[in-house]
Amino acid sequence: MISREESWKLVTDHLKTEHLLKHVLATEACMKALAGKLGGDETLWALTGLVHDMDLDVVEADPARHGKFTADVLRGKGFPDELVNAVLAHAGHRAPETKLDIALCAVDPTTGFIVAVTLVRPDKKIAGVEVRSVVKRMKEKRFAANVNRDQMRTIEKLGMDFEQFIGTCLGAMQQIAPDLGL
Ligand SMILES: [Fe+2]
């Protein structure tokens, strides 16, 4: 398996936008924590989260290439097929099939939703965010309206309780709060 350090170098060679770098770090943390709960390989799941969006700056003018560009780079570097397939699935180029595919698709919108819940707090600090406040905001259609709630809920396909999912992601993001600027 390619090291975390080498993977991060690959990400930062391609991805420069600060909020996207924070998004991939959040996704890495959530995926690692979820692997622990869902019987996945922590290293593989964390790396998948870290690299999944590394082409977003590169394909900005041609969003249809999102995921495919990353997949080509990762294959060239010898990343495992399971990881590459999850990247393709999250960008809509394959149907999500494996636990890894499904978890990545569910986590992807969830990190942004948790950030949005954090930023409406007076202190803008993730440390004080609670699971119930995240779950409550799910019902407010106008709140973070661009975030796909149905996609977040696809974690339930893996038999995971939705509140447990939010708690796992929130806890993981709280642990790296300084990296996320939260
Ligand atoms: Fe993403």
Side-chain angles (χ1 to χ4, degrees):
M1 182 76 75
I2 292 90
S3 72
R4 200 271 179 191
E5 195 187 351
E6 214 179 317
S7 303
W8 180 238
K9 167 89 171 51
L10 201 56
V11 171
T12 53
D13 281 347
H14 293 89
L15 196 63
K16 307 290 177 189
T17 305
E18 195 180 336
H19 79 92
L20 294 174
L21 287 166
K22 288 176 179 170
H23 166 65
V24 299
L25 289 173
T27 308
E28 176 192 32
C30 294
M31 289 297 290
K32 185 175 182 181
L34 278 175
K37 307 265 175 181
L38 291 170
D41 176 325
E42 285 189 13
T43 306
L44 177 70
W45 285 39
L47 275 191
T48 306
L50 186 68
V51 300
H52 83 285
D53 269 344
M54 67 176 213
D55 65 10
L56 276 180
D57 284 336
V58 181
V59 303
E60 207 182 359
D62 185 8
R65 287 171 69 214
H66 173 46
K68 288 186 176 169
F69 183 98
T70 301
D72 287 343
V73 173
L74 297 178
R75 280 198 196 101
K77 294 280 177 188
F79 280 77
D81 288 345
E82 206 184 342
L83 182 156
V84 176
N85 284 339
V87 169
L88 288 169
H90 108 278
H93 302 297
R94 297 175 51 245
E97 288 169 5
T98 66
K99 282 202 284 188
L100 179 60
D101 298 344
I102 293 167
L104 180 65
C105 289
V107 165
D108 197 22
T110 301
T111 67
F113 194 79
I114 291 174
V115 171
V117 173
T118 305
L119 295 181
V120 294
R121 290 173 56 85
D123 65 2
K124 300 191 189 320
K125 293 286 180 201
I126 197 169
V129 175
E130 291 177 39
V131 172
R132 61 184 173 150
S133 41
V134 178
V135 172
K136 210 170 133 198
R137 291 284 188 184
M138 291 283 287
K139 295 181 194 113
E140 286 177 42
K141 286 200 176 120
R142 281 187 300 178
F143 177 82
N146 58 330
V147 178
N148 186 335
R149 271 82 163 155
D150 291 340
Q151 195 177 326
M152 291 170 68
R153 286 203 175 270
T154 55
I155 199 69
E156 291 171 342
K157 286 186 193 168
L158 300 181
M160 189 174 207
D161 172 74
F162 186 71
E163 291 197 14
Q164 192 198 359
F165 169 65
I166 293 297
T168 303
C169 292
L170 178 60
M173 287 174 64
Q174 284 169 333
Q175 285 192 17
I176 58 158
D179 294 336
L180 305 179
L182 301 172

